Amino acid sequence: MRNFKLHTKWPPAGDQPAAIKRLEHGLEAGMRHQTLFGATGTGKTFTIANVIAKHDKPTLVLAHNKTLAAQLAQEYREFFPENAVQYFVSYYDYYQPEAYIAHSDTYIEKEAMVNAEIDRLRHAATQSLLTRKDVIIVASVSAIYGLGSPEEYEKVHLKIVAGAAESRAALIRKLVGIYFERTTADLNPGQFRAIGNALEVMPVNEHSLYRITFDDELVARIEQLDPVSRARRATPNTVFIFPAKHFVTSEAERDRALADIRLELDEQLAKFKREERPLEAERLKRRTLHDIARIRELGHTNGIENYSRHFDGRKEGEPPFTLLSYFPHKNIGTYDVPNMVPDFLTVVDESHVTVPQIGGMFAGDRSRKDNLVEYGFRLPSARDNRPLTFEEFEERVGQTIYTSATPGPYERKHSEQVVEQIIRPTGIIDPELVVKPIVEGATGMIYHTNASSTKTYPGQIQDFIDEAAVVIKRGGRALATTLTKQMAEDLAAFLRKRGINAEYLHSDVKTIDRIDILTKFRKGGFDILVGVNLLREGLDLPEVELVGILDADKEGFLRSETALIQTIGRAARNVLGHVILYADVMTDSLTHAIEETNRRRTLQLAYNKKHGITPKTIVKEIHDIAASMRTEHQKTIDELLVLDTIAYKDDPKAFIAQKREEMAAAVEQLDFETAALIRDEIYKLEGTGPKRATRKKKLFQ
């Protein structure tokens, strides 16, 4: 029986059937590298979903940013609702890595803000890989960073069985041993609390609460509860609780690791002494001994990941465990001499960006670590807390399919076959292209797919506003791409001053906020979205009729042939889609992008004519793909606010007094979830709440 079951209303169409067949034949033939060279909007994700269903192996889908990964995860969940489709990205909302700048003698301490919901999804991903075969993980390049040993992570999980011999005190000790925190307040993932003869535990991977009731030295009953309403969802006989952290070490291993760290410290101090560098030696000694003491007493210290090589038992230079280590492997050697090879499919989405990104992670990390080691801030073993090199990544993935509308040199060189997918199932052809002058007062159009003009132009900003007004009037949307983040923000502000509903989007906008902005845009919450390169790859926005590429003749990364083709593709899902490129000169990149677009248009028009196809705009349901990253707690508060706002407005003082009484009653009954909901609803209604420090970070262009 197959593990994956594909759900779809439509059969493959256009170039999809042939592409699916060729890719699957390539996998059966053992091809290590294949490329799906698919024009934007031809349904590459649907093609890959069909291949996954036929190939029937766990699959890693790599994307180059969190927004694209979230969108892909939502699409694969629609295709495979019965299977485990998980989302694995960096769990930091804000991250400032530890660094030392020698020329200014500036030490920058590591600072991070962890998104608890994304952390929960990461645990859900690794636990799915260890317990199921029907798993698709959509990940960013966070997948190549150190994660902790899957063997240790799986080894120390708890299995709690109703009727089994287990005391309340013993289970508390076990939960603490796998990094769960005890609390007396409302529970968050990775926490537990003791109430009478019961324990309530919230696992790190799901929005559920498990109440475990004891009868003397036995587990009398297990109940799965809704964490907000506390309604009973189920009474399972068995529940598995995995560690609250991916880095798990037994007490014996911890003692061995601390001894190794101390030995390395002695060696490095001796080195500094020989080099007559007392400042670096004293700095390293103080920091390392402080970390050792905290790890011994508390089991953790800030920056503990810098000692991961010792805790993992790895040798110097050996790569770390990563998400790839959690995927299944098979032995093609013998029992005595095993040779474990990857037994899963890897899909590299938008490979022309993702492949170079994977390749660039190691060098940047190594340069920063070398400085920290050289000046006594870290032991040399900190270098081994790192991402994989590209060669290590290649060794740890098996058969790979690269997907892109503009494959890069790596894919073209290594792929044993390149499968082209140019024809769209909807019959939509690539958009009409227009090249207009940037400067105000210029006369004559530089290029038009189907026409020419000698009119005088008002400059790129005003011309884009005029063109966008036509699109907006008939209910469409428009995109504008700029060269910098500041330009994106400034243009969005300028448009709003002109009475145009516009928003900006770039990499400094938080993950969930980015997704919210895109969802709002698709729903018609605003008319123009302004961005930088974040708008190029993989964003599925069929409502977009106009794309304006500002300063299209500024040769460089953002205006290369690849970048231009990708940006042009944002208008390729709508029959009215057209693109205006603002340029004063025709660069090589512009010329090649126009030639490739026209080549595709020729093939698409011929196909439509031959088969009698009338193009139709892609119609796609609008989902809030950020919903899975919001807490049930917050969603419940939002629902309560809708119901209670009217009553609050009628008599705010009496309403708040009543709510405070309800909160007190909930606390008396030890119903902390309900109390917390009421508390946060009061904060929202009154516009108050606990003050949180806000940190500004520098925006790099």
Side-chain angles (χ1 to χ4, degrees):
M1 181 178 290
R2 289 191 171 275
N3 294 310
F4 290 95
K5 186 175 180 181
L6 177 64
H7 288 243
T8 177
K9 297 177 182 177
W10 314 107
D15 278 349
Q16 291 172 345
I20 293 166
K21 187 174 182 179
R22 288 185 63 192
L23 290 169
E24 181 54 27
H25 283 173
L27 292 174
E28 291 174 356
M31 291 183 184
R32 181 74 189 276
H33 301 278
Q34 299 182 81
T35 292
L36 176 59
F37 178 12
T40 301
T42 57
K44 295 189 289 294
T45 303
F46 181 57
T47 296
I48 294 298
N50 277 270
V51 172
I52 290 172
K54 291 176 181 293
H55 195 55
D56 205 42
K57 287 188 177 182
T59 301
L60 169 65
V61 179
L62 279 174
H64 64 89
N65 66 52
K66 294 179 179 180
T67 308
L68 177 56
Q71 179 176 299
L72 288 169
Q74 180 62 44
E75 291 182 357
Y76 281 115
R77 282 173 185 157
E78 292 175 12
F79 291 137
F80 299 101
E82 298 178 40
N83 305 118
V85 178
Q86 305 291 5
Y87 178 71
F88 187 98
V89 299
S90 168
Y91 53 24
Y92 296 118
D93 276 338
Y94 167 72
Y95 182 66
Q96 170 62 62
E98 181 183 30
Y100 178 68
I101 304 170
H103 68 80
S104 61
D105 190 28
T106 303
Y107 172 71
I108 303 170
E109 192 160 0
K110 171 188 166 183
E111 293 183 71
M113 291 173 60
V114 173
N115 184 309
E117 275 302 291
I118 295 180
D119 189 30
R120 180 187 69 79
L121 295 172
R122 286 165 64 94
H123 280 278
T126 51
Q127 290 175 32
S128 291
L129 285 170
L130 295 176
T131 57
R132 303 179 62 159
K133 295 182 179 179
D134 60 333
V135 184
I136 299 171
I137 308 294
V138 183
S140 67
V141 291
S142 178
I144 69 169
Y145 279 77
L147 191 60
S149 166
E151 184 179 345
E152 290 296 323
Y153 183 74
E154 185 176 23
K155 186 195 307 180
V156 301
H157 77 272
L158 302 181
K159 180 181 180 181
I160 305 169
V161 181
E166 184 77 85
S167 71
R168 176 176 171 276
L171 185 55
I172 287 175
R173 287 193 295 271
K174 289 179 180 179
L175 287 168
V176 171
I178 58 172
Y179 304 107
F180 273 71
E181 296 179 2
R182 185 170 182 171
T183 182
T184 56
D186 47 315
L187 290 178
N188 291 312
Q191 293 183 334
F192 72 95
R193 66 178 173 224
I195 302 176
N197 66 336
L199 290 180
E200 291 186 342
V201 184
M202 183 174 283
V204 289
N205 66 311
E206 58 179 300
H207 280 306
S208 286
L209 190 69
Y210 289 92
R211 177 187 284 160
I212 302 150
T213 305
F214 295 86
D215 185 2
D216 291 331
E217 300 293 305
L218 293 176
V219 176
R221 186 171 64 257
I222 301 173
E223 297 171 283
Q224 183 185 15
L225 308 177
D226 184 283
V228 178
S229 69
R230 300 183 67 77
R232 187 164 60 188
R233 290 176 174 171
T235 54
N237 184 64
T238 304
V239 62
F240 293 90
I241 306 292
F242 279 80
K245 299 181 185 297
H246 281 108
F247 291 93
V248 181
T249 309
S250 66
E251 189 172 344
E253 282 295 296
R254 185 188 67 189
D255 291 342
R256 177 200 55 75
L258 291 178
D260 288 347
I261 293 169
R262 185 58 197 258
L263 181 62
E264 185 187 14
L265 172 63
D266 292 341
E267 292 173 352
Q268 189 68 358
L269 291 177
K271 176 179 179 293
F272 282 141
K273 185 177 180 180
R274 289 194 303 271
E275 296 172 354
E276 297 183 352
R277 299 171 67 186
L279 174 62
E280 287 80 0
E282 182 62 24
R283 178 186 288 156
L284 183 65
K285 180 179 178 181
R286 285 189 180 186
R287 166 174 290 238
T288 309
L289 291 179
H290 175 263
D291 286 346
I292 289 173
R294 285 184 61 86
I295 295 170
R296 180 174 288 115
E297 296 301 321
L298 304 176
H300 189 77
T301 189
N302 187 35
I304 192 173
E305 65 275 6
N306 289 290
Y307 305 106
S308 61
R309 187 234 288 174
H310 295 293
F311 286 99
D312 293 342
R314 290 181 282 129
K315 295 178 181 177
E316 183 177 353
E318 281 189 344
F321 295 107
T322 66
L323 177 66
L324 305 180
S325 310
Y326 287 73
F327 277 87
H329 291 67
K330 63 181 178 182
N331 184 12
I332 61 171
T334 64
Y335 179 81
D336 296 326
V337 187
N339 181 16
M340 305 302 291
V341 298
D343 192 25
F344 61 95
L345 176 65
T346 300
V347 177
V348 182
D349 197 80
E350 302 296 345
S351 58
H352 62 284
V353 176
T354 309
V355 167
Q357 191 179 60
I358 294 169
M361 294 296 101
F362 174 82
D365 182 84
R366 184 57 180 257
S367 174
R368 180 173 58 82
K369 294 283 177 55
D370 281 346
N371 246 15
L372 290 168
V373 171
E374 174 67 19
Y375 292 96
F377 290 95
R378 288 292 171 193
L379 291 171
S381 57
R383 295 188 180 105
D384 291 318
N385 167 46
R386 60 174 177 82
L388 299 175
T389 65
F390 192 78
E391 292 72 25
E392 291 166 346
F393 167 78
E394 285 184 302
E395 293 169 0
R396 283 158 180 74
V397 295
Q399 291 181 291
T400 303
I401 298 175
Y402 306 93
T403 70
S404 176
T406 51
Y410 177 86
E411 304 93 286
R412 292 182 180 276
K413 177 181 178 181
H414 289 81
S415 290
E416 291 150 271
Q417 72 166 340
V418 175
V419 178
E420 193 168 73
Q421 186 170 293
I422 299 299
I423 307 302
R424 298 181 177 89
T426 56
I428 294 177
I429 61 175
D430 274 35
E432 180 182 282
L433 303 182
V434 180
V435 182
K436 294 183 178 182
I438 296 172
V439 298
E440 182 180 354
T443 302
M445 186 182 300
I446 296 176
Y447 173 86
H448 194 300
T449 302
N450 297 313
S452 62
S453 173
T454 57
K455 63 180 281 189
T456 300
Y457 291 95
Q460 62 179 355
I461 301 299
Q462 185 58 50
D463 185 80
F464 175 75
I465 291 173
D466 294 342
E467 294 284 353
V470 177
V471 167
I472 294 167
K473 187 174 181 180
R474 62 176 176 238
R477 318 273 193 281
L479 296 180
T481 65
T482 63
L483 288 172
T484 68
K485 297 171 186 175
Q486 190 62 54
M487 287 171 65
E489 294 180 19
D490 291 345
L491 178 56
F494 177 77
L495 292 172
R496 286 194 290 268
K497 286 181 181 179
R498 295 284 297 270
I500 301 169
N501 204 350
E503 297 285 350
Y504 68 84
L505 187 69
H506 54 59
S507 58
D508 283 331
V509 178
K510 289 183 179 179
T511 306
I512 295 178
D513 291 340
R514 290 183 225 168
I515 299 165
D516 279 335
I517 289 169
L518 291 171
T519 302
K520 183 180 177 183
F521 182 55
R522 290 200 60 200
K523 289 180 177 179
F526 57 94
D527 301 312
I528 297 179
L529 181 60
V530 186
V532 198
N533 62 326
L534 190 64
L535 293 178
R536 295 180 311 147
E537 289 90 4
L539 295 181
D540 194 349
L541 305 169
E543 296 78 16
V544 171
E545 294 183 15
L546 169 65
V547 174
I549 304 177
L550 305 181
D551 301 301
D553 58 0
K554 303 300 185 289
E555 282 274 26
F557 170 68
L558 294 176
R559 297 296 182 262
S560 65
E561 176 187 348
T562 295
L564 290 172
I565 291 173
Q566 288 286 343
T567 309
I568 289 166
R570 296 316 106 211
R573 290 179 170 87
N574 193 300
V575 290
L576 299 176
H578 59 291
V579 179
I580 303 175
L581 303 103
Y582 293 97
D584 290 326
V585 295
M586 287 292 287
T587 63
D588 288 343
S589 295
L590 271 170
T591 301
H592 295 151
I594 291 170
E595 288 174 352
E596 174 60 20
T597 301
N598 288 338
R599 180 186 78 86
R600 296 178 184 183
R601 283 173 60 88
T602 301
L603 293 173
Q604 293 155 354
L605 287 167
Y607 183 90
N608 287 354
K609 183 177 180 181
K610 179 179 178 181
H611 294 86
I613 295 173
T614 301
K616 296 179 181 178
T617 295
I618 293 172
V619 178
K620 205 162 194 176
E621 287 187 63
I622 302 174
H623 295 280
D624 185 357
I625 56 180
S628 62
M629 287 179 276
R630 295 191 185 87
T631 64
E632 293 295 326
H633 182 90
Q634 184 58 52
K635 285 189 281 186
T636 304
I637 292 170
D638 293 341
E639 291 167 4
L640 289 172
L641 285 170
V642 172
L643 297 172
D644 290 344
T645 300
I646 296 173
Y648 172 76
K649 288 181 178 178
D650 288 343
D651 190 344
K653 189 174 181 180
F655 184 82
I656 293 298
Q658 177 189 338
K659 283 291 178 181
R660 291 191 185 281
E661 288 180 9
E662 292 175 8
M663 182 171 66
V667 172
E668 286 181 9
Q669 298 171 21
L670 304 182
D671 187 356
F672 298 110
E673 282 82 1
T674 300
L677 284 169
I678 298 170
R679 175 202 65 198
D680 290 347
E681 185 188 6
I682 292 171
Y683 286 157
K684 287 273 188 176
L685 289 168
E686 293 185 327
T688 60
K691 293 184 178 179
R692 293 178 174 84
T694 58
R695 181 183 305 279
K696 292 184 177 179
K697 63 171 181 171
K698 186 175 180 180
L699 303 181
F700 293 96
Q701 298 301 326

